[in-house]
Amino acid sequence: MSQSVQIKNALISVYYKDNLEPIIHELSRLGVKLYSTGGTETFIRSLGADVIAVEDLTSYPSILGGRVKTLHPKVFGGILARRNFESDEQQLQQYDIPEIDLVIVDLYPFEETVKSGAGQDDVIEKIDIGGISLIRAAAKNFKDVVIVASKDDYIGLADMLKAQSGATDIDQRRLFAQKAFNITSDYDTAIFDYFNQDEQLPVFKQSIQKSQVLRYGENPHQQGVFYGNLDAMFNKLHGKELSYNNLVDVDAAVALIDEFTEPTIAILKHTNACGIASRSFMIEAWKDALACDPVSAFGGVIIANDEIDAETATEINKIFFEVLIAPAYTDDAIRVLKEKKNRIILIRQNVELPIKQFKTLLNGVIEQDKDLVIEGPDQMRTVTNAQPTEQELKDLYFANKVVKHTKSNTIVFAKNSQLMASGVGQTSRVDSLKQAVIKADGFGFDLNGAVMASDAFFPFSDCMELAAEAGITAVLQPGGSIKDQDSINMANEKGISMVMTGVRHFKH
């Protein structure tokens, strides 16, 4: 096996030509014979470099409107020939096939064409055939051939050619091959996803090219990586890199805040809201969000759906938090928030989010649609003698948005568009209710006239009884229990109004 390969012949056929010029000049200086097609051939000639058209090598023209150009034994034979196989070398000589030691080929912009909204015919024409075949062939024969399949590697290749006088070692070629197969697999996944938009083939495929190694995973002894483009999602103004746990909380925060259109601030801890309020002004939203549970707010993730001004920033600056997210900040607000070193300040940017979610489970993966449904007053069916007031309906809508994004089993208390308390992640619904009552009492909230929302039905009437004792006057639940009538009867007995939505919002 050859460890060092001197490049003598190169095939270059690319869509993107940025930063290609230094490679052409260096290959020409080294006396490498260049082969090319179409626009790349024209580009190379414009640089004053000698180049041989692939058509002259194969003695066959480009046909079918360019669909067939390089698919020929004189091209693929030169790429796939094993230099240490005598029979391969003999056949190259027999058929006058040059050994091709370097292949620089990229792929038609299939994903970009799909995203542009182009019609099916245009999309189909951007499915690369020759290019992907050349890449796979060169990568397969990495022991003898260098494959460069991305413009991102052009500068590195030019530096390597110059530093090593046109020679490459086996480790370099293996790394280029690894990158090449990553590119082709990602490309094929994109094509499959396009053809499988109706999900007639129930298979799981994901290919995400960008990644970021995290300090650690959920705990320091676990490794963690984020796959995706955080720079597209957020503009970081200040602070350290987001951790694994930060990202989990930030994801929950984004999902929650997107339920609200009026100025709102939420504070989250371990993916659950420990404070949230909607107000006319951000300073008021902050103060009322923090009032819900100022203890849990310590070290939390804060998210707003409107600009943070200096007054609000000054108040936020009084507590320790991990992450603050907003669509914008005034200059004075940024100056205030940058006073402390490690806090993370992010501007959220407009990015389309996935509508599916998945996670590994047992020996496989489970996937589901995101819970993108929320029930407002029009979807609330009153089932009690008492009717909710207009304000109670508004608060029930607010509470329903919060309960949807809180760990099950959960109970949420709200009044005047403010979270007053929640019972989170308990193994019984009545325990969640008791927890919420204790927290409300602990922070001095008067629950008289407040509303209650539940993520799932009440299996027994005990929750209605306890809610009435706490001062709750209106309740929202999906319904669906065989004992719904027991809860309705208790609500009627206590003079509480109850609405049912018919939609459960479990969150595990």
Side-chain angles (χ1 to χ4, degrees):
M1 179 178 68
S2 173
Q3 294 296 309
S4 178
V5 171
Q6 185 69 38
I7 297 171
K8 303 179 292 297
N9 300 298
L11 171 64
I12 307 173
S13 181
V14 296
Y15 189 88
Y16 298 103
K17 299 172 182 64
D18 297 341
N19 297 317
L20 184 62
E21 182 175 347
I23 295 174
I24 302 301
H25 288 314
E26 185 61 23
L27 290 173
S28 296
R29 186 186 72 79
L30 293 167
V32 174
K33 187 175 291 185
L34 305 181
Y35 297 88
S36 190
T37 64
T40 308
E41 178 192 344
T42 301
F43 175 78
I44 294 172
R45 291 191 193 282
S46 73
L47 299 176
D50 293 333
V51 60
I52 299 171
V54 167
E55 290 92 333
D56 294 336
L57 171 65
T58 63
S59 300
Y60 216 95
S62 171
I63 62 172
L64 306 181
R67 280 190 164 196
V68 179
K69 289 184 287 190
T70 57
L71 297 169
H72 193 282
K74 277 206 168 184
V75 175
F76 281 86
I79 295 170
L80 286 166
R82 293 157 292 187
R83 278 40 165 186
N84 60 334
F85 274 50
E86 186 177 348
S87 59
D88 285 10
E89 291 295 309
Q90 288 175 350
Q91 287 185 322
L92 291 183
Q93 293 179 16
Q94 179 182 355
Y95 296 108
D96 194 23
I97 299 174
E99 292 179 345
I100 296 176
D101 316 295
L102 170 64
V103 175
I104 305 176
V105 172
D106 58 12
L107 299 171
Y108 291 154
F110 177 82
E111 286 186 272
E112 291 87 341
T113 305
V114 172
K115 289 176 182 177
S116 73
Q120 179 175 286
D121 288 347
D122 290 332
V123 171
I124 296 302
E125 287 307 309
K126 287 298 184 288
I127 297 177
D128 208 311
I129 302 301
I132 203 164
S133 301
L134 290 166
I135 292 170
R136 289 177 63 86
K140 176 179 180 176
N141 203 24
F142 71 91
K143 292 179 181 178
D144 299 302
V145 179
V146 181
I147 172 60
V148 175
S150 169
K151 63 181 184 297
D152 294 339
D153 287 322
Y154 288 176
I155 294 175
L157 175 65
D159 292 342
M160 186 178 71
L161 292 172
K162 188 174 294 185
Q164 298 171 197
S165 300
T168 64
D169 63 42
I170 187 66
D171 291 334
Q172 291 168 334
R173 296 193 298 277
R174 182 188 292 273
L175 179 59
F176 277 123
Q178 183 181 26
K179 291 180 177 181
F181 281 125
N182 176 47
I183 288 169
T184 60
S185 66
D186 179 68
Y187 194 78
D188 283 337
T189 297
I191 295 170
F192 172 78
D193 288 344
Y194 175 77
F195 278 93
N196 199 43
Q197 293 179 66
D198 56 4
E199 298 184 357
Q200 286 188 343
L201 290 179
V203 298
F204 181 81
K205 289 181 182 288
Q206 286 288 325
S207 182
I208 302 174
Q209 292 297 287
K210 287 187 175 291
S211 65
Q212 179 177 322
V213 176
L214 306 174
R215 296 195 301 274
Y216 51 81
E218 198 164 9
N219 299 291
H221 63 276
Q222 296 170 269
Q223 293 183 340
V225 181
F226 175 80
Y227 294 98
N229 187 359
L230 281 177
D231 291 337
M233 183 82 196
F234 300 110
N235 176 18
K236 189 177 76 171
L237 301 180
H238 184 67
K240 58 189 176 182
E241 296 299 321
L242 288 163
S243 70
Y244 180 99
N245 291 329
N246 289 154
L247 287 166
V248 173
D249 284 336
V250 166
D251 178 68
V254 167
L256 172 61
I257 204 70
D258 281 353
E259 300 284 1
F260 298 88
T261 55
E262 59 273 34
T264 301
I265 292 182
I267 311 167
L268 286 88
K269 198 74 170 288
H270 300 297
T271 74
N272 297 303
C274 57
I276 181 169
S278 298
R279 294 290 182 263
S280 298
F281 300 99
M282 296 307 285
I283 183 63
E284 296 172 353
W286 165 250
K287 289 180 178 179
D288 287 343
L290 180 62
C292 175
D293 186 349
V295 174
S296 295
F298 181 86
V301 169
I302 304 167
I303 190 164
N305 63 358
D306 206 345
E307 183 180 65
I308 299 294
D309 56 27
E311 184 183 13
T312 306
T314 300
E315 290 299 315
I316 293 174
N317 205 39
K318 293 178 181 179
I319 74 163
F320 168 71
F321 63 87
E322 287 276 349
V323 185
L324 174 60
I325 309 162
Y329 305 83
T330 65
D331 291 341
D332 288 340
I334 292 173
R335 279 192 287 272
V336 170
L337 293 166
K338 284 185 174 182
E339 289 175 359
K340 297 180 182 178
K341 184 173 67 172
N342 286 329
R343 59 179 42 158
I344 302 168
I345 311 299
L346 303 175
I347 293 178
R348 182 182 172 187
Q349 301 178 129
N350 188 22
V351 173
E352 184 178 355
L353 298 174
I355 59 173
K356 297 278 189 179
Q357 55 189 180
F358 60 88
K359 63 179 179 180
T360 59
L361 188 147
L362 300 176
N363 62 340
V365 173
I366 55 173
E367 182 185 64
Q368 66 172 356
D369 298 331
K370 277 189 177 179
D371 185 359
L372 301 175
V373 173
I374 190 65
E375 305 76 46
D378 291 342
Q379 291 79 43
M380 298 176 190
R381 178 173 61 90
T382 304
V383 295
T384 51
N385 297 329
Q387 298 284 322
T389 66
E390 185 176 342
Q391 182 60 47
E392 286 172 339
L393 285 172
K394 182 179 178 182
D395 285 337
L396 288 170
Y397 188 27
F398 178 93
N400 196 30
K401 294 175 180 180
V402 178
V403 84
K404 169 185 167 182
H405 294 277
T406 307
K407 289 288 187 182
S408 302
N409 289 311
T410 182
I411 293 291
V412 164
F413 295 150
K415 184 163 64 174
N416 297 326
S417 300
Q418 177 188 20
L419 175 64
M420 307 193 80
S422 60
V424 177
Q426 299 301 301
T427 52
S428 73
R429 199 154 301 280
V430 70
D431 283 345
S432 293
L433 196 156
K434 291 176 180 177
Q435 182 191 62
V437 171
I438 292 170
K439 294 202 77 169
D441 288 344
F443 292 109
F445 283 105
D446 180 6
L447 291 177
N448 286 295
V451 305
M452 178 174 80
S454 174
D455 61 324
F457 63 66
F458 296 106
F460 305 104
S461 62
D462 51 0
C463 286
M464 289 303 99
E465 190 169 7
L466 289 171
E469 292 174 3
I472 299 300
T473 56
V475 174
L476 176 145
Q477 63 144 322
S481 169
I482 60 174
K483 295 187 176 181
D484 275 347
Q485 194 59 47
D486 291 351
S487 294
I488 295 171
N489 292 341
M490 182 59 71
N492 283 331
E493 181 181 326
K494 299 296 183 180
I496 297 174
S497 64
M498 180 190 291
V499 300
M500 291 185 179
T501 63
V503 180
R504 188 183 73 187
H505 290 293
F506 269 165
K507 185 182 179 189
H508 290 98

